């Protein structure tokens, strides 16, 4: 049975900071906070769709700092979600995203009582200079403390990171990944920075004081990050922002592509093919891979095939069930 998230977006209310990159209304596409009644209606409607399709879902409160919203409103949302989980078998749990400095022992107890199954922390970076430069209002120590509290409670931990922030470097991003791995989360999300209008990053970008990573730099970096996490047994459940007309309309720069993960996975294939082919003579080669990998091996607009041709390797990619990379 296929598992998914049913996302309920809570906009920027209650959050104690306005980070340099933040315009949650553009990112989530939501302009106002949903009422508990609206959430109840959505959950009832979606339960029928999920059941019909033979799917299950976790109810996910995303888009803001869930544990920083007014307490009464948070409890109403949790009560609504908990009732839905108890009523509809298609709902398997409740997850939320929040800030590391909005987690303490009392909050964790509340979340546990209402059946929260996973908490994702918007850590963004584990470098204190990067965090301070982007007005995050918390430190790497806060991420470690909050992560420990969540894991000790038995709630699954998820961590979110951003690449290309103000004062960031690829090396610092890789160090953040290494720090995440030490915390052993169940899941990670990787978000390359998108520079939006009406944000401090937007102002810094427009006056020439800030340049994010280029698209190519980001693809290469994210390929390394993805491999790091997968080799450590940590699932990367998102790479890049969801496709959104609001983001496309409001963005000034940074890296945004609706198929970013596919492009990054294709870059990993290219790197692996280069490494294997370097041990062989240049010329014609057959490359076999599982059918599900064919498009990634070829690359968008045959970019991988063309890149290898420039190196002197004329390749033909063919399907072979169960094979990752076999070159003849």
């Amino acid at each position: 049975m296929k598992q998914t998230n049913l996302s309920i977006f809570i906009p920027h209310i209650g959050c104690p900071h306005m980070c340099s990159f933040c315009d949650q209304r553009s990112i989530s596409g939501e302009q106002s906070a949903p009422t508990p009644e609206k959430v109840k209606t959505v959950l009832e409607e979606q339960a029928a769709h999920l059941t019909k399709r033979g799917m299950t879902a976790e109810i996910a409160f995303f888009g803001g700092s869930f544990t920083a919203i007014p307490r009464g409103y948070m409890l109403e949302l949790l009560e609504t979600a908990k009732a839905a989980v108890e009523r509809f078998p298609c709902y398997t749990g409740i997850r939320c995203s929040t800030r590391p400095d909005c987690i303490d022992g009392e909050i964790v107890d509340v979340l546990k009582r209402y059946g929260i199954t996973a908490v994702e922390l918007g850590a963004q970076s584990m470098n204190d200079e990067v965090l301070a430069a982007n007005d995050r209002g918390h430190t790497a120590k806060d991420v470690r403390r909050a992560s420990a509290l969540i894991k000790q409670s038995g709630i699954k931990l998820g961590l979110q990171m951003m690449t290309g922030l103000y004062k960031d470097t690829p090396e610092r991003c890789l160090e953040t990944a290494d720090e995440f791995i030490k915390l052993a989360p169940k899941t990670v999300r990787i978000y390359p920075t998108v520079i939006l209008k009406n944000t401090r990053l937007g102002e810094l970008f427009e006056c020439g004081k800030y340049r994010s990573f280029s698209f190519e730099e980001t693809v290469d970096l994210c390929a390394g990050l993805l491999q790091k996490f997968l080799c450590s047994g940590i699932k990367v459940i998102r790479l890049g922002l969801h496709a959104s007309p609001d983001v496309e309309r409001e963005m000034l720069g940074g890296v945004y592509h609706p198929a970013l993960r596919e492009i990054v996975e294709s870059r990993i294939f290219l790197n692996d093919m280069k490494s294997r082919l370097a041990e062989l003579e240049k010329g014609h080669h057959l490359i076999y891979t599982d059918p599900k990998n064919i498009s990634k091996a070829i690359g968008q607009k045959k970019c991988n095939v063309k890149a290898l041709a420039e190196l002197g390797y004329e390749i033909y990619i063919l399907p072979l069930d169960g094979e990752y990379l076999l070159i003849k």
Side-chain angles (χ1 to χ4, degrees):
M1 187 173 287
K2 187 177 179 180
Q3 172 78 18
T4 187
N5 285 337
L6 177 60
S7 298
I8 307 293
F9 285 100
I10 311 298
H12 194 83
I13 58 173
C15 187
H17 294 274
M18 178 60 78
C19 303
S20 67
F21 51 82
C22 189
D23 181 358
Q24 278 291 346
R25 289 178 298 175
S26 292
I27 293 171
S28 70
E30 297 290 327
Q31 301 297 316
S32 59
T35 65
E37 291 75 20
K38 180 180 178 181
V39 172
K40 180 181 178 182
T41 299
V42 169
L43 294 179
E44 288 175 349
E45 291 174 348
Q46 291 302 311
H49 293 303
L50 290 165
T51 302
K52 185 176 180 180
R53 296 171 185 170
M55 298 174 64
T56 60
E58 283 191 318
I59 300 165
F61 292 108
F62 288 154
S65 298
F66 186 71
T67 60
I69 65 178
R71 179 59 65 93
Y73 178 49
M74 183 185 80
L75 295 180
E76 286 182 307
L77 293 177
L78 287 173
E79 287 170 0
T80 302
K82 186 173 185 289
V85 171
E86 292 171 348
R87 179 181 173 189
F88 301 107
C90 62
Y91 293 127
T92 59
I94 310 166
R95 65 193 303 127
C96 69
S97 61
T98 194
R99 295 170 53 88
D101 54 335
C102 293
I103 286 288
D104 58 27
E106 187 266 339
I107 283 287
V108 169
D109 289 342
V110 170
L111 298 178
K112 186 79 172 175
R113 187 162 66 247
Y114 281 91
I116 285 281
T117 43
V119 174
E120 295 188 32
L121 296 177
Q124 317 314 1
S125 175
M126 293 298 281
N127 182 281
D128 284 338
E129 183 181 354
V130 172
L131 293 172
N134 290 277
D135 306 316
R136 280 297 292 168
H138 70 78
T139 65
K141 183 178 179 180
D142 291 319
V143 178
R144 297 185 187 96
R145 177 192 54 78
S147 297
L149 287 172
I150 291 164
K151 292 187 68 176
Q152 288 166 9
S153 75
I155 296 173
K156 290 182 288 187
L157 172 67
L159 294 174
Q160 301 172 4
M161 70 175 290
M162 295 180 68
T163 66
L165 287 166
Y166 185 44
K167 301 292 186 182
D168 208 356
T169 66
E171 291 74 24
R172 286 177 168 181
C173 292
L174 292 168
E175 289 166 3
T176 288
D178 290 336
E179 290 296 313
F180 275 18
I181 290 167
K182 292 177 185 177
L183 297 174
K186 289 289 185 181
T187 61
V188 164
R189 295 178 192 260
I190 304 171
Y191 293 117
T193 298
V194 176
I195 307 166
L196 298 172
K197 299 175 185 176
N198 304 313
T199 64
R200 192 167 77 86
L201 275 192
E203 294 172 359
L204 291 168
F205 177 77
E206 290 184 307
C207 72
K209 293 183 179 179
Y210 161 64
R211 183 193 76 86
S212 187
F213 304 159
S214 70
F215 188 84
E216 282 299 308
E217 287 175 317
T218 298
V219 171
D220 282 333
L221 171 61
C222 287
L225 293 171
L226 186 57
Q227 286 185 301
K228 267 183 179 288
F229 289 125
L230 294 181
C231 288
S232 299
I234 298 169
K235 189 175 181 180
V236 177
I237 58 175
R238 186 72 200 174
L239 203 168
L241 290 176
H242 290 276
S244 165
D246 297 296
V247 170
E248 292 172 10
R249 183 179 60 251
E250 297 296 320
M251 70 178 294
L252 297 171
V255 174
Y256 169 79
H257 194 291
L260 183 61
R261 181 163 188 150
E262 177 86 7
I263 293 170
V264 169
E265 291 178 339
S266 182
R267 182 62 54 87
I268 292 173
F269 256 94
L270 176 60
N271 292 339
D272 288 345
M273 288 189 291
K274 281 182 178 178
S275 178
R276 301 276 190 92
L277 287 167
E279 300 174 359
L280 304 174
E281 292 184 2
K282 294 183 179 182
H284 297 276
H285 292 279
L286 300 178
I287 295 182
Y288 295 89
T289 189
D290 192 90
K292 68 182 180 182
N293 298 328
I294 292 288
S295 64
K296 296 172 187 174
I298 293 172
Q300 286 198 337
K301 298 180 180 179
K302 297 185 177 180
C303 62
N304 287 355
V305 175
K306 293 174 183 176
L308 292 173
E310 290 177 0
L311 296 175
Y313 299 99
E314 297 294 333
I315 65 166
Y316 300 90
I317 298 174
L318 301 170
L320 181 61
D321 289 345
E323 185 63 59
Y324 173 66
L325 195 59
L326 175 65
I327 301 178
K328 291 186 177 180

